[in-house]
């Protein structure tokens, strides 16, 4: 008979001379330990059972003898999620609104935003931002007859306000305004009549 539980068991039999005999079994069944750990972590997990660090998802086992000398084991079902790190390089004219923070930046620099990704892990986004200027220049000019504007290579003979839209080498708008006053030249003819005396 195979016994699976601790207890006191007796067996009665007869000897060859016909006398009853009793055999008593006092049985203690020592337990076998099985432990299963299911763990979800970010980046790395230190398993206290064997003192090892794991950075990869997987199934890990440790076999050992418990205090009763019985074979036992630990099993680790490990899922490791990574943190996100992203770097965005942006070049913009005048200013840039970063959707990550919702802020408007007008100065070149490196900006950092921290967030929790979909796995609950701390993550970081870096913004490497270069801001190029846009130019606005207004000239007031007063001339006689006409004016050659070097900004756009045109000659103007009428007073007025003229605009020129240009792009810098970085592709940013530059606006030049010419506020021009043109005075017409005039000639005075003086007729002198000589009278002989």
């Amino acid at each position: 008979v195979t016994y699976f539980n601790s207890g006191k068991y007796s067996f009665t039999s007869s000897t060859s001379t016909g006398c009853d005999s009793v055999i008593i079994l006092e049985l203690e069944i020592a337990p076998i330990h099985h432990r299963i750990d299911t763990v979800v972590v970010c980046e790395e997990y230190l398993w206290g059972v064997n003192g090892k660090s794991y950075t990869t998802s997987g199934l890990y086992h440790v076999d050992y003898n418990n205090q009763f000398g019985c074979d036992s084991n630990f099993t680790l079902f490990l899922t490791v999620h990574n943190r996100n790190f992203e770097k965005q390089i942006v070049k913009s004219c005048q200013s840039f609104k970063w959707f990550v923070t919702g802020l408007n930046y007008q100065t070149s620099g490196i900006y950092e935003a921290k967030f929790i990704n979909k796995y609950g892990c701390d993550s970081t986004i870096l913004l490497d931002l270069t801001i190029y200027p846009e130019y606005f220049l207004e000239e007031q000019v007063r001339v006689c007859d006409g004016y050659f504007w070097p900004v756009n290579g045109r000659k103007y003979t009428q007073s007025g306000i003229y605009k020129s839209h240009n792009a810098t080498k970085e592709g940013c708008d530059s606006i030049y305004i010419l506020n021009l006053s043109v005075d017409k030249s005039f000639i005075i003819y003086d007729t002198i009549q000589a009278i002989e005396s």
Side-chain angles (χ1 to χ4, degrees):
V1 177
T2 302
Y3 298 94
F4 296 95
N5 297 310
S6 300
K8 189 173 184 179
Y9 302 94
S10 63
F11 175 71
T12 303
S13 64
S14 296
T15 64
S16 58
T17 57
C19 298
D20 289 338
S21 295
V22 178
I23 299 175
I24 296 175
L25 170 64
E26 291 185 0
L27 177 64
E28 182 179 350
I29 301 292
I32 295 176
H33 293 139
H34 298 285
R35 192 176 99 185
I36 298 175
D37 293 334
T38 301
V39 178
V40 179
V41 295
C42 298
E43 294 293 308
E44 184 178 9
Y45 178 68
L46 175 62
W47 196 19
V49 169
N50 60 6
K52 290 184 179 180
S53 290
Y54 297 92
T55 57
T56 306
S57 299
L59 181 63
Y60 303 95
H61 294 282
V62 171
D63 295 318
Y64 70 102
N65 289 326
N66 65 16
Q67 68 266 35
F68 304 106
C70 301
D71 291 338
S72 299
N73 61 71
F74 287 105
T75 300
L76 172 65
F77 289 96
L78 179 63
T79 302
V80 177
H81 293 299
N82 292 322
R83 295 182 174 92
N84 292 97
F85 180 83
E86 182 182 346
K87 184 176 182 180
Q88 298 177 354
I89 299 175
V90 176
K91 301 179 190 297
S92 182
C93 298
Q94 199 69 15
S95 64
F96 177 71
K97 186 172 183 179
W98 196 20
F99 72 94
V100 174
T101 60
L103 298 176
N104 200 46
Y105 299 90
Q106 297 177 324
T107 306
S108 298
I110 295 179
Y111 302 93
E112 181 182 84
K114 293 189 177 294
F115 68 101
I116 304 297
N117 69 14
K118 65 181 179 180
Y119 303 113
C121 301
D122 292 335
S123 299
T124 302
I125 296 180
L126 287 182
L127 172 64
D128 186 350
L129 178 63
T130 302
I131 296 292
Y132 295 116
E134 292 181 345
Y135 296 98
F136 180 86
L137 179 65
E138 183 173 1
E139 296 180 71
Q140 296 213 4
V141 177
R142 185 166 188 167
V143 295
C144 296
D145 293 326
Y147 178 68
F148 176 79
W149 198 21
V151 170
N152 60 7
R154 293 183 180 178
K155 184 176 182 180
Y156 298 95
T157 58
Q158 301 290 328
S159 297
I161 297 176
Y162 303 95
K163 289 184 181 180
S164 177
H165 290 269
N166 301 305
T168 65
K169 64 181 180 179
E170 293 86 14
C172 299
D173 286 339
S174 292
I175 300 174
Y176 295 87
I177 296 178
L178 172 63
N179 193 336
L180 179 64
S181 297
V182 177
D183 296 325
K184 296 295 182 183
S185 298
F186 60 90
I187 300 174
I188 299 176
Y189 293 93
D190 191 8
T191 303
I192 301 175
Q193 197 172 37
I195 300 174
E196 293 181 7
S197 55

